[in-house]
Amino acid sequence: MADSTKRCLQRIMRLIPSYMLRTTLEKWGRFTVEQQKSIDFTRSKWALTEALLSICEENKFAMKHLTGLEMIYIMDNPNQGMWYVLQLLDPEDDAHSVELMQFKEQFKSHLKELVRHVSIKIKKHTDQAVWIRIAWGDAFSPPNHLKPTYVVHYLQTPSVFVTNLTSKQKPLLSQAMLLSTRHQAIKDANLSGRNLTAIRDLLMRKYQQVFPTKYPSPLAENNQTISNPLIEKEQAEPAANRLHMACKAFGGGALPQLQSAVYKLETKFRDHSNKTMTEREEPFRCVVKFASTNLLESLRHCASSGIASTPVTPLLSCIPLKGRNYFVITDNGPGPSSQTHQPQN
Amino acid sequence: MSLLKPFSRLPGLNSANILLVEREEQFQQSLADVLVEETTFTVNVRLAKSLPLPMENEESRPRIDLVVFIINLTSELSLQSAEASLKSLDPGYFLGKVCFMVTNARSAAAPIERLDVARKLAASLYCPLLFAEDQTPDGVTNATERLLTILKVAAGLVPMATSLYLSNLTRSTVPPDIEQPSFN
């Protein structure tokens, strides 16, 4: 087996944790039953790598077989690494009728025109997502399988999720995506996160939405038996209002796991007690970052417990509303349309 | 401004009403769950985030025998919220019907000055200052027992003892060397 293929297998073995190895290999299905049985999964990773290497050599596997294994693992465990979202704009007339075979052929041919040596693998996942694995090379070197880019796209939606894409590769990928999905422009959607399922659910609103209603709790009588009748909350109504407004802004139930929200402020300094800073003409640049294991959950709790004032300020509620977590805030009217937002005070 | 008055209603038979005021609204729930398990008399627990209480509950609210302010020492806002709520309390409550309960006193995130402020506050109002541990069920049970002792007297369920009499024994005092820096 070639050196590069060996290194690729070693990298895959580093990626996959031991407890997931058996199921992933079974899903891959390229080992015969005897070969699968001959592997002792309780040995150390290093010993397992050697065993797999010998079986792969026995079967004369090439790079393309191994990349299939890597892709199966990543498709089932997408919540690693950093995913960024791009948005396709200005669809042409036939953008809504792009279907899978056409997209696959077009994408492969366009990308191969742009980059001489590139290795592309496209698979459709069970939830209709198209997964693309790209190993980039250039005019003089073969594709580098140790740093592949993964792209996830749901056909006929404007979002494209990418991970591991360098700035040099971005314009090439963008061009290929535009031509194969029949759109005219692509831009940064200002949304990123570690959890692919979370950012996808956020964009497609696949979490429980709470709609504004005049009578928030229509069946109040049903809840009486749950809590002890001897315990009474004095301020139950304001608390219920706060909870309803928080859920309206962020959603009810379990929320998609965003890790951070970044606000880049380019506003003038405002503090009446500090004359020297307020007199400056230039904006006071600073960056505010909110970080949490589940940011939307934390923000909703801030609003419902009264730490953040309700109704929820648009600066916070636009995170789920617009599906972004990077904002640039300026004092004056809207600047470039994709990026600015009016501050509240 | 609507003050909470201690004797504006008739007392209930063999029952006591306690009001727990806490900005974070967490410890009060666990305390309430244990308080209502008392069997010798009925304990009615009312929970609030801060005072003044809403006007809508004015008619249905029974006579409050004991008001407990729960202060989390790791949060400055907790202390400020309790101080602001004191203004909505009729002065009649400060004759033994108010109690301060403080949590997280041993936590590293709680500065010692804040505990001194809480101590001075309780001492100036002649109220007891209780320390509680809110993370374990044992801590909650202990805090509940101490509250029940004071509550029984405040509700008049202990013969020969009134809350004013008890407050002479339980009220917090400030040690004379509180201004000196302490050794840690």
Side-chain angles (χ1 to χ4, degrees), chain A residues 38 51 69 110 114 131 150 152 175 231 241 255 285 292 303 326:
Chain A
S38 72
L69 174 63
H110 285 303
L114 292 168
W131 279 72
Y150 279 91
V152 180
Q175 179 76 346
I231 305 176
N241 282 346
L255 297 175
R285 291 168 200 277
S292 160
Y326 176 77

Side-chain angles (χ1 to χ4, degrees), chain A residues 21 52-53 93 104 160 173 187 202 221 230 254 256 330 332:
Chain A
L21 200 53
L52 282 171
L53 203 57
D93 295 330
K104 269 165 100 163
V160 179
L173 175 69
K187 72 167 169 87
L202 185 69
E221 308 87 47
L230 290 174
T330 57
N332 317 319

Side-chain angles (χ1 to χ4, degrees), chain A residues 18-36:
Chain A
S18 311
Y19 57 91
M20 299 236 44
L21 200 53
R22 173 179 275 142
T23 38
T24 317
L25 285 174
E26 278 170 8
K27 261 201 191 148
W28 189 39
R30 286 197 182 267
F31 284 177
T32 64
V33 181
E34 299 86 35
Q35 282 170 337
Q36 185 90 8

Side-chain angles (χ1 to χ4, degrees), chain A residues 162-308:
Chain A
V162 297
T163 181
N164 243 357
L165 187 69
T166 68
S167 45
K168 288 216 180 98
Q169 298 158 351
K170 194 164 166 191
L172 305 167
L173 175 69
S174 308
Q175 179 76 346
M177 278 310 283
L178 283 177
L179 291 170
S180 47
T181 57
R182 315 288 291 137
H183 283 76
Q184 285 176 25
I186 190 169
K187 72 167 169 87
D188 214 358
N190 290 323
L191 178 63
S192 63
R194 289 197 167 277
N195 211 314
L196 176 65
T197 36
I199 53 180
R200 183 203 63 200
D201 289 345
L202 185 69
L203 275 180
M204 299 191 182
R205 314 260 173 162
K206 273 194 193 160
Y207 54 96
Q208 188 186 359
Q209 305 279 318
V210 172
F211 298 102
T213 142
K214 191 168 177 201
Y215 302 104
S217 45
L219 296 172
E221 308 87 47
N222 284 1
N223 287 339
Q224 290 292 32
T225 48
I226 300 174
S227 59
N228 198 321
L230 290 174
I231 305 176
E232 190 172 322
K233 291 198 171 161
E234 288 280 346
Q235 290 143 339
E237 208 185 289
N241 282 346
R242 279 200 303 262
L243 181 62
H244 183 68
M245 285 201 268
C247 286
K248 227 174 31 178
F250 296 105
L255 297 175
Q257 269 187 331
L258 274 191
Q259 283 80 34
S260 67
V262 175
Y263 295 84
K264 196 161 147 211
L265 300 179
E266 282 169 12
T267 51
K268 285 188 67 169
F269 191 90
R270 278 194 211 118
D271 180 5
H272 295 293
S273 57
N274 192 338
K275 285 288 171 207
T276 34
M277 289 299 292
T278 328
E279 275 159 16
R280 283 191 178 199
E281 284 304 317
E282 320 87 52
F284 183 72
R285 291 168 200 277
C286 74
V287 174
V288 177
K289 179 173 175 177
F290 292 92
S292 160
T293 41
N294 189 338
L295 184 72
L296 293 175
E297 190 82 54
S298 318
L299 291 175
R300 184 177 64 184
H301 185 258
C302 279
S304 66
S305 64
I307 299 174

